Amino acid sequence: MTKLLSISALALAASTAGAAAQDIGACLITKTDTNPFFVKMKEGATAKAEELGINLKSYAGKIDGDHESQVAAIETCIADGAKGILLTASDTSSIVSSVQQARDAGILVIALDTPLNPIDAADATFATDNFLAGELIGKWAAAKLGDDAADAKIAMLDLGVSQPTVGVLRDQGFLQGFGIELGDPNKWGDEDDPRIVGNDVTAGNEEGGRRAMENLLAKDPMINVVYTINEPAAAGAYEALKAIGREEDVIIVSVDGGCPGVQNVADGVIGATSQQYPLDMAALGIEAIAQYAADGTLPQPTEGKDFFDTGVALVTGEPVDGVDSITVEEGMDLCWG
Amino acid sequence: MTTSADEAENIDATAAPQAEAVAEFDQQHSTLQRVQHFLHQIPAAVPLIVLVLSIIVFGLLLGSKFFSPFALTLILQQVAIVGITAAAQSLVILTAGIDLSVGAMMVFSSVLMGQFTFRYGIPAEIAIGLGLMAGTVMGVINGVLVAFMRLPPFIVTLGTWQIYLAANYLYSANETIRAQEIEEHAAALQFFGLSFRIGGAVFTYGVVLMLVLVFGLAYALRQTAWGRHVYAVGDDKDAAELSGVQTKRVLVSVYALSGLICALAGWVLIGRIGSVSPTSGQLANIEAITAVVIGGISLFGGRGSILGTLCGALIVGVFSLGLRMAGTDPQWTYLLIGMLIIVAVAIDQWIRKVSV
């Protein structure tokens, strides 16, 4: 009888232990579930969650900028009793109150890719150093131009009028890397360096990239350096330049490292791009949630930074002195999408 | 607008026929009311005046940079896609409906054209044909739901907007087909991006298509039985039905044509952005409705001209480029466009009073 009892007790213990692992719930909330960047992120999170026996649920906005769906997703995760949330916020400021509710409920919230505003609104941020990503392409463009950098004509193709942090960081990083004095580093468009022809917004897609490039070319047709927020916008800008026959004498730089973008570097459409690693962000995020669920450890930021840096590398076919870069082939191996 | 001499003459002129008239409505003749009457007869006049004024204002502000053949034709290029989807939207709104799915039909058609070519190796010309058919079928689905199931157009297209967009993402796996590959293997997909020059002016074939389409539809709406039926259905569906118009057939034809035009817009979209990208055109439905409303077509149906829609799209284009060249924050564009929308609807309401 005692034996039977102890066996059933053991069985019970085993089953609760098994259930405990499955009981760790985690949520992944992305801007959309169609952008290859977030598809890759979901892939990384799902694989790691399966490995660690975590029950992962994924949510996404309908379109980029769909803030309401993300708030609803956070509320669902709270109601669901999740242990951790990985969040790529569409609206980095407005989401803060919802994030606070989740944290009050004892949930670990990690911002992926896009830092919240303020950054410490989340328990941790796992992201590309977007400022550094911008700085790398800025330095590369300046080195590429050499002495001509002193009278370059620069077009800035940004993300959106609401100036989300990721767009601001890349923009400001690029300018700093290029050697242009920044105004307020928390916003773009306030610099008074005459080399900047203007800023325009692209929504991060081809259509917006083309329109923004056309607008700035109408302002000054002699633009010779184009910063773009991401590679689809760069592809659109290239079409606008091609339409006026200037695609050969303009340097386009970008950030992301998606496979079509890296292919565009190979084809000479984009001069250089800074590559980021969404799969790593998500996998590391899931590991951090597992750790937190096990013993309450909070993830620590990279030394000297206020977030955990998941790395960035400059991809170009034409390396320049003084700026580390990887080749197009290496970039292709690591690309996403 | 009218001099006092004109006015005097007018009073004389009206006095005379009134004497011999057998039966005539009592007409009032203040200047304002004559303007109102004039605008009622020519619905494209208001947007045309606004368009000309805005070109003049930006021309004065920015000088030859803006007021150049290059910049002015650039505006045409920038509004080509909105202009074409707005033409489709105009047809539907004239029937007192609304089509929220125009952008979704456009982008899904373009994705189908691209994926058929690259995924299945179908020759581009045939893939384009299939894409155009797919757009038409999407339109027919909208039309049948509206005409035969008698569901409100807003609800129907609210649903199909999301269905077509989701199908677009699911089918494409959100994969972009790069411009370089299209150029190499399926140049026909980029046909509407090709351009030709007349002096300093640059026209793409997409712009030509927009102009041909708008003027063709304007002719069809004014001069053909089908066109008059479209207006009749929008003005008073029951009355149209009683007078022998096959309203259901007219409605389905309008939605089908809307779908086909959106698919054409999808083809133009590939030409414009070079690549096939499933994330394009997310705001096309709102932009199309904006052009239609600023263009003076009544959201209550049966009133307005498709030429007004073209002006509406161009006004938005002029504002966007003009303000950008003046170096203002893009937010100002949205603010002014928003004000224009409200003014346009207010004018529409005011003009309507003439017919009551």
Side-chain angles (χ1 to χ4, degrees):
Chain A
M1 188 68 194
T2 39
K3 200 178 174 190
L4 188 68
L5 263 179
S6 62
I7 287 175
S8 52
L10 262 178
L12 194 69
S15 68
T16 45
Q22 275 305 318
D23 269 354
I24 301 178
C27 295
L28 174 69
I29 306 171
T30 52
K31 292 185 196 176
T32 69
D33 52 13
T34 51
N35 180 331
F37 186 85
F38 300 124
V39 171
K40 204 65 179 180
M41 202 175 250
K42 193 167 158 184
E43 230 177 87
T46 310
K48 188 54 90 176
E50 265 173 33
E51 189 191 316
L52 300 179
I54 286 175
N55 182 15
L56 179 74
K57 290 182 182 162
S58 302
Y59 304 86
K62 288 191 278 290
I63 55 165
D64 203 332
D66 180 3
H67 172 65
E68 286 75 18
S69 291
Q70 294 200 321
V71 170
I74 291 182
E75 287 163 354
T76 312
C77 296
I78 297 173
D80 224 21
K83 277 277 177 258
I85 296 175
L86 303 177
L87 168 72
T88 308
S90 271
D91 185 327
T92 48
S93 307
S94 312
I95 201 85
V96 166
S97 57
S98 304
V99 166
Q100 193 54 49
Q101 280 177 34
R103 292 177 70 184
D104 290 344
I107 300 175
L108 177 74
V109 180
I110 300 176
L112 293 189
D113 170 62
T114 310
L116 299 188
N117 189 10
I119 193 165
D120 59 8
D123 290 299
T125 304
F126 286 18
T128 306
D129 187 337
N130 280 301
F131 191 89
L132 178 63
E135 207 172 4
L136 286 171
I137 52 175
K139 279 185 182 161
W140 182 88
K144 195 84 197 130
L145 283 173
D147 293 341
D148 294 339
D151 32 46
K153 287 181 181 288
I154 306 168
M156 302 296 293
L157 269 52
D158 292 298
L159 190 54
V161 284
S162 63
Q163 302 214 0
T165 47
V166 48
V168 175
L169 287 165
R170 290 179 189 179
D171 172 305
Q172 299 287 294
F174 167 84
L175 292 176
Q176 174 135 322
F178 198 86
I180 286 172
E181 198 178 325
L182 303 181
D184 178 353
N186 295 315
K187 64 188 259 199
W188 52 254
D190 61 343
E191 292 78 18
D192 48 15
D193 193 303
R195 287 178 286 180
I196 301 173
V197 171
N199 296 67
D200 207 340
V201 293
T202 63
N205 62 33
E206 288 88 348
E207 212 181 345
R210 171 152 192 176
R211 184 185 305 236
M213 190 70 233
E214 285 172 344
N215 290 348
L216 292 173
L217 282 171
K219 233 173 147 182
D220 188 340
M222 295 322 292
I223 286 167
N224 62 353
V225 178
V226 181
Y227 154 87
T228 56
I229 175 70
N230 66 4
E231 288 143 5
Y238 183 79
E239 292 299 313
L241 289 163
K242 208 167 82 177
I244 60 162
R246 293 211 50 227
E247 75 271 25
E248 295 299 329
D249 39 66
V250 175
I251 294 175
I252 303 180
V253 290
S254 196
V255 178
D256 253 359
C259 296
V262 177
Q263 188 60 47
N264 275 346
V265 176
D267 289 350
V269 172
I270 299 172
T273 192
S274 284
Q275 187 168 47
Q276 44 179 355
Y277 302 102
L279 201 142
D280 293 348
M281 288 174 200
L284 291 166
I286 293 289
E287 277 176 7
I289 291 175
Q291 188 70 44
Y292 173 74
D295 56 16
T297 319
L298 291 174
Q300 293 305 309
T302 305
E303 208 175 311
K305 296 181 180 178
D306 48 5
F307 62 96
F308 185 91
D309 189 351
T310 52
V312 62
L314 186 74
V315 181
T316 181
E318 309 161 68
V320 294
D321 284 341
V323 189
D324 287 338
S325 62
I326 62 174
T327 64
V328 175
E329 291 72 34
E330 290 171 286
M332 276 319 268
D333 288 340
L334 296 168
C335 73
W336 43 268
Chain B
M1 268 206 183
T2 333
T3 62
S4 54
D6 271 350
E7 216 149 4
E9 202 179 284
N10 220 306
I11 289 162
D12 286 349
T14 46
Q18 243 170 10
E20 6 181 314
V22 183
E24 197 161 284
F25 292 106
D26 183 24
Q27 297 212 356
Q28 297 144 318
H29 288 286
S30 82
T31 311
L32 201 61
Q33 275 161 333
R34 257 179 294 145
V35 170
Q36 195 179 15
H37 190 71
F38 169 75
L39 296 178
H40 182 66
Q41 283 177 317
I42 308 173
V46 178
L48 186 64
I49 293 166
V50 175
L51 176 62
V52 172
L53 280 179
S54 53
I55 292 176
I56 292 172
V57 169
F58 281 114
L60 290 174
L61 279 174
L62 300 166
S64 61
K65 246 186 190 175
F66 180 84
F67 206 70
S68 66
F70 179 80
L72 293 179
T73 47
L74 176 63
I75 294 171
L76 278 171
Q77 292 178 38
Q78 291 189 335
V79 302
I81 291 161
V82 174
I84 293 169
T85 49
Q89 187 71 267
S90 301
L91 291 175
V92 174
I93 290 183
L94 281 175
T95 66
I98 196 159
D99 192 342
L100 296 172
S101 67
V102 289
M105 293 194 288
M106 169 179 80
V107 65
F108 194 22
S109 302
S110 79
V111 161
L112 289 174
M113 290 175 194
Q115 294 287 351
F116 282 171
T117 309
F118 286 88
R119 201 184 286 184
Y120 311 125
I122 299 172
E125 291 75 9
I126 298 172
I128 290 164
L130 293 172
L132 295 177
M133 275 170 55
T136 314
V137 169
M138 287 184 259
V140 168
I141 294 171
N142 285 343
V144 168
L145 289 171
V146 169
F148 289 94
M149 306 287 289
R150 293 177 180 280
L151 301 175
F154 188 92
I155 309 291
V156 167
T157 57
L158 186 67
T160 54
W161 166 26
Q162 314 207 25
I163 292 168
Y164 298 155
L165 210 54
N168 162 57
Y169 289 135
L170 291 171
Y171 176 71
S172 67
N174 205 39
E175 180 193 331
T176 302
I177 304 172
R178 294 168 56 245
Q180 284 65 33
E181 283 165 41
I182 295 173
E183 208 174 329
E184 210 171 302
H185 303 293
L189 285 173
Q190 293 179 338
F191 171 75
F192 283 112
L194 301 175
S195 59
F196 60 91
R197 281 166 182 275
I198 303 174
V202 186
F203 297 92
T204 58
Y205 291 119
V207 170
V208 175
L209 175 73
M210 173 180 72
L211 296 175
V212 168
L213 195 69
V214 167
F215 285 103
L217 286 174
Y219 174 82
L221 284 169
R222 285 201 83 81
Q223 306 295 339
T224 67
W226 173 80
R228 301 325 295 173
H229 290 170
V230 170
Y231 276 98
V233 168
D235 203 30
D236 189 337
K237 186 157 168 277
D238 296 333
E241 197 150 357
L242 287 172
S243 43
V245 176
Q246 297 202 300
T247 54
K248 286 179 182 166
R249 207 180 281 182
V250 171
L251 277 174
V252 174
S253 74
V254 163
Y255 282 91
L257 190 55
S258 166
L260 174 62
I261 294 171
C262 290
L264 273 171
W267 187 5
V268 176
L269 178 74
I270 301 176
R272 177 156 167 83
I273 64 176
S275 46
V276 173
S277 163
T279 51
S280 311
Q282 303 210 337
L283 293 176
N285 53 356
I286 300 298
E287 288 171 344
I289 294 170
T290 303
V292 171
V293 172
I294 294 179
I297 292 189
S298 169
L299 283 176
F300 310 105
R303 238 192 59 76
S305 135
I306 201 159
L307 295 174
T309 296
L310 178 61
C311 293
L314 287 170
I315 290 169
V316 176
V318 167
F319 270 58
S320 311
L321 187 69
L323 289 170
R324 293 308 294 133
M325 285 177 75
T328 47
D329 189 310
Q331 294 286 19
W332 285 103
T333 319
Y334 301 128
L335 191 138
L336 287 173
I337 301 292
M339 283 162 61
L340 265 186
I341 292 173
I342 292 170
V343 170
V345 175
I347 292 178
D348 176 55
Q349 287 295 326
W350 178 63
I351 295 171
R352 272 181 164 258
K353 286 187 193 146
V354 93
S355 58
V356 182

